[in-house]
Amino acid sequence: MPWYSGLIFVVLLLAGCASNQPTIGKKSFDKEDEYIIKGLLYEDTNTTKAINTFKFLYDKTDKYVYLKEIIKLNFENKKYKTVINLVNKFMEKYPKLTDEVILYKIDSYIILHKLNQALECAKNYIKKYRNIEVYKRIAYIYIKQQKYTKAIKYLKTIYSINHSPEILSQMGDIFFKYLKKPNEAISYYQTYINEYGCEDNICNRLSNIYSSLYDYEDLISIYKKMYYYNPTDEYARKIIYLYMELGEYNKALEFINKYNLDERLKYLVYKSRFDTLHTYKDAYRLYKITHKNRYFFLYTTYKFQHSKKSLLSLTNLIANLELLIKKERNPLYLNYLGYMLIDYNINPKKGIKLVKEALISNPNDPAFLDSLAWGYYKIHKCKKAYDIISKIKSKDKDIFKHKKLIRRCYDSRKNNK
């Protein structure tokens, strides 16, 4: 289709479509089409010339479409006071066509911060006509004036005409944030979801309300609906974490199994409920799948905890950790192995060396510093141990226990001098 075909249609429309005017295509004077084209072309390059061209056409033909075009161009040119005067002129001359220009007048008042005049204009208009866009303006004005109860009245009217999720979102925000009526917002959101499904914006707003009210059971319910419509890892994790927060680990596992979710999620559930048997087995299964060192580390440490820390299991743990740090000098692995060598008096000096290596990349880690202090304590360097552990600020019970023992050792050595 040629580029000018749309322009020809507009020319015909402007030339013929007017109240009590000739029909489409009927010109009022010979060069009317030429002036229309000139005015339309000027709209992109020179707004003032475009306005003057359509003013000439309006004066020559008295067709309302030209006056409407003049109003539109002045609005786009931010001449809002002129727009208001022109709309008044339009409404006086063409009262039955007020619907076509009323928003220009209301919006001009709003932009000029004349909210009371905008409100008066809008409310006078809706006494005779029903227009959703005008209702929106009234609601907007009341929101700007923080008159939320009045704003809700008009938003409800709009929503009764058109169940728009945007309008519902505004209503929900006002009920929840400003009128402190969360149940009203919840009721509207639930009704919408039951009728139209879990639209992202609405379901997210409802989930935010449930979260703020600590209503985890209903929050799980809405996340399940969101997951049904959009099965993402984000929603799945939220559901699982909420079940764990409620202590409903079996339900979390049922959800994971039902949707064949990532095995790592199952591992998190077992870990959260301190189920070391399932934790180390799942960690090993994850290691076999991914071949990632962190899962081998979790497997060997949790297996040791599950085994009641026997001599055999300790020997296996040390061997596995030795193997692991040959593959990766991860500070976590180095510190764990170092602490085991220190705490079980296997080789405290080697343990200190490993912990020092871990501290190179994590010099302020409380757990690493505690391991180092504990190592010096084990080789009877109590002052050095005390200097390190006294700087650690932590409420960890093991660190507190070590602090107490190291302080006692330090004090006794100091008093014996």
Side-chain angles (χ1 to χ4, degrees), residues 288-387:
K288 296 297 285 184
I289 294 169
T290 65
H291 301 289
K292 289 183 177 179
N293 291 332
R294 69 173 179 268
Y295 292 121
F296 184 76
F297 171 75
L298 292 168
Y299 155 69
T300 195
T301 52
Y302 273 103
K303 186 177 183 181
F304 172 67
Q305 291 175 25
H306 180 72
S307 66
K308 309 301 181 185
K309 303 179 182 179
S310 66
L311 180 60
L312 177 61
S313 63
L314 177 61
T315 304
N316 288 334
L317 171 68
I318 300 297
N320 284 333
L321 290 174
E322 292 277 12
L323 180 66
L324 189 58
I325 64 169
K326 286 181 181 178
K327 295 181 180 179
E328 182 183 354
R329 306 298 283 189
N330 184 302
L332 180 63
Y333 311 157
L334 291 166
N335 177 69
Y336 198 98
L337 175 57
Y339 183 79
M340 289 292 108
L341 294 173
I342 292 165
D343 195 46
Y344 285 90
N345 296 307
I346 298 170
N347 192 338
K349 288 185 178 180
K350 182 180 178 180
I352 289 171
K353 186 178 178 182
L354 291 170
V355 173
K356 280 183 175 180
E357 185 180 342
L359 279 163
I360 293 171
S361 55
N362 299 72
N364 299 312
D365 190 294
F368 294 2
L369 290 169
D370 173 65
S371 296
L372 184 61
W374 194 237
Y376 284 125
Y377 170 79
K378 286 284 190 174
I379 60 173
H380 312 296
K381 292 186 178 182
C382 297
K383 183 181 184 308
K384 214 166 187 177
Y386 179 72
D387 288 342

Side-chain angles (χ1 to χ4, degrees), residues 16-208:
C17 184
S19 178
N20 299 318
Q21 299 300 325
T23 56
I24 291 177
K26 185 73 173 177
K27 295 185 290 185
S28 297
F29 65 100
D30 287 341
K31 293 188 177 181
E32 186 176 0
D33 290 352
E34 292 179 28
Y35 279 99
I36 293 170
I37 292 171
K38 188 186 293 185
L40 291 171
L41 292 173
Y42 277 142
E43 285 188 7
D44 293 328
T45 58
N46 191 320
T47 308
T48 303
K49 285 187 177 181
I51 290 170
N52 290 336
T53 302
F54 284 112
K55 187 176 184 303
F56 169 79
L57 284 165
Y58 178 68
D59 292 340
K60 189 84 172 171
T61 66
D62 206 34
K63 292 179 181 178
Y64 84 88
V65 286
Y66 298 132
L67 180 54
K68 181 183 173 184
E69 194 71 13
I70 294 165
I71 292 168
K72 184 198 84 170
L73 291 169
N74 273 285
F75 187 84
E76 291 172 354
N77 215 26
K78 301 181 180 180
K79 295 180 178 178
Y80 303 117
K81 291 181 180 178
T82 302
V83 169
I84 291 166
N85 291 330
L86 287 171
V87 171
N88 287 338
K89 177 181 176 180
F90 187 102
M91 290 166 61
E92 185 178 340
K93 193 163 186 179
Y94 312 107
K96 292 183 180 179
L97 299 171
T98 297
D99 190 59
E100 300 199 22
V101 294
I102 191 64
L103 293 178
Y104 287 118
K105 183 178 179 181
I106 297 169
D107 289 347
S108 294
Y109 275 132
I110 290 171
I111 293 167
L112 292 170
H113 303 290
K114 296 183 177 181
L115 298 183
N116 289 332
Q117 288 94 321
L119 190 60
E120 182 183 3
C121 176
K123 293 183 86 170
N124 285 335
Y125 176 80
I126 63 169
K127 288 177 182 176
K128 298 179 181 179
Y129 309 100
R130 196 180 194 191
N131 184 313
I132 287 180
E133 293 303 319
V134 176
Y135 281 114
K136 285 181 182 178
R137 267 61 172 189
I138 295 172
Y140 171 80
I141 293 166
Y142 279 133
I143 291 169
K144 291 286 285 184
Q145 294 177 333
Q146 298 183 355
K147 296 177 179 177
Y148 300 114
T149 302
K150 289 185 176 181
I152 278 291
K153 173 186 172 184
Y154 286 93
L155 289 171
K156 281 182 176 181
T157 301
I158 300 165
Y159 190 66
S160 69
I161 299 168
N162 176 12
H163 283 192
S164 159
E166 289 77 20
I167 297 299
L168 178 56
S169 296
Q170 282 186 292
M171 289 170 59
D173 286 348
I174 291 172
F175 276 130
F176 179 57
K177 294 178 182 178
Y178 302 112
L179 298 180
K180 308 301 179 187
K181 295 181 176 179
N183 289 336
E184 290 275 358
I186 290 169
S187 177
Y188 270 100
Y189 286 148
Q190 284 179 335
T191 302
Y192 181 92
I193 292 165
N194 290 338
E195 190 168 350
Y196 300 105
C198 198
E199 197 267 344
D200 278 350
N201 187 35
I202 301 302
C203 281
N204 274 318
R205 276 178 154 78
L206 181 55
S207 69
N208 288 337

